[in-house]
Amino acid sequence: MKFEVLVTKEQLEAKTAELGKRITEDYKGKELVLVGVLKGGFIFLADLARKIDMEVMIDFISVSSYGNSTQSSGVVKILKDIDMDITGKHVLIVEDLIDTGLTLQYLKELFNTKGCASVKLAAIMDKPDRRKVDLKVDYVGIEIPDEFVVGYGLDYAGKYRNLPEVYVIRET
Ligand code: IMP
Ligand code: MG
């Protein structure tokens, strides 16, 4: 297997800083809870949280979508729910990548039933060509082509999440 860099560390850093600045401006004076989507969202959440210049609370939800490892089925299973009471709070769901959009659509609908003041979505990467549902993602990072990628939180068979850049895997 060969790994080709698709998104560099510098691009990830610059985009995260830009999104953090926008989020700080948009949520000033509000009670914001960042909800990281495990496992993939943990790296972006950690970087993004440090670019938000205000008080935030942080929680995590762990989901898995049924189906094989490279195709999302749209049926999402909650493996670990959030711990915090988010009633009346502004929730920003933080995800690694939007592919079909089914996971974030499901999570947005779920959080909309929990009595939050608002529910918005953030993702550091986006594969717009793969979208199956019409979903508004409020803070989108970098658009990438329809390729399977790893690194910066994203895995293949549980590995490569710790790679600091985003790579396309080519079979050799
Ligand atoms: P969606 O529900 O189709 O939008 O899928 C979203 C999730 O599928 C992402 O958060 C990733 O965890 C996973 N995923 C989608 N594409 C890739 C990829 O290219 N590499 C690794 N994981 C991916
Ligand atoms: Mg994910």
Side-chain angles (χ1 to χ4, degrees):
M1 286 199 301
K2 208 169 118 234
F3 287 67
E4 280 172 21
V5 177
L6 184 68
V7 186
T8 65
K9 215 170 146 185
E10 290 72 27
Q11 286 174 290
L12 291 163
E13 276 169 16
K15 195 46 92 171
T16 302
E18 182 192 315
L19 293 176
K21 191 162 173 273
R22 267 180 59 203
I23 291 165
T24 307
E25 285 160 9
D26 294 351
Y27 286 94
K28 261 271 128 74
K30 293 181 176 159
E31 254 191 313
L32 175 61
V33 183
L34 303 177
V35 175
V37 183
L38 295 173
K39 302 177 179 135
F42 80 112
I43 301 232
F44 176 47
L45 183 132
D47 285 346
L48 181 67
R50 285 174 289 176
K51 297 292 178 192
I52 297 175
D53 187 19
M54 56 180 267
E55 284 177 8
V56 293
M57 285 170 282
I58 293 174
D59 205 340
F60 290 96
I61 191 164
S62 180
V63 300
S64 79
S65 79
Y66 291 104
N68 67 45
S69 59
T70 60
Q71 293 284 317
S72 180
S73 65
V75 184
V76 176
K77 185 176 165 194
I78 306 286
L79 302 175
K80 180 220 165 283
D81 207 345
I82 54 166
D83 306 322
M84 218 171 252
D85 179 9
I86 51 168
T87 314
K89 298 193 172 69
H90 294 269
V91 168
L92 180 60
I93 301 173
V94 181
E95 171 68 303
D96 47 14
L97 172 74
I98 323 150
D99 187 41
T100 63
L102 290 164
T103 305
L104 280 182
Q105 174 178 264
Y106 177 88
L107 288 176
K108 179 146 191 186
E109 280 169 12
L110 177 73
F111 279 87
N112 274 335
T113 67
K114 290 179 184 263
C116 314
S118 70
V119 182
K120 286 191 181 182
L121 306 174
I124 185 61
M125 280 170 285
D126 183 16
K127 288 183 192 172
D129 297 343
R130 295 262 308 162
R131 200 75 84 253
K132 284 193 187 155
V133 288
D134 183 24
L135 180 75
K136 182 184 170 232
V137 182
D138 306 275
Y139 303 96
V140 189
I142 298 157
E143 287 195 1
I144 61 169
D146 180 8
E147 302 255 28
F148 193 80
V149 293
V150 297
Y152 202 69
L154 292 160
D155 73 306
Y156 174 67
K159 290 186 278 191
Y160 314 122
R161 294 190 196 275
N162 59 320
L163 297 177
E165 306 195 274
V166 176
Y167 299 84
V168 176
I169 302 181
R170 305 246 182 249
E171 300 294 334
T172 45

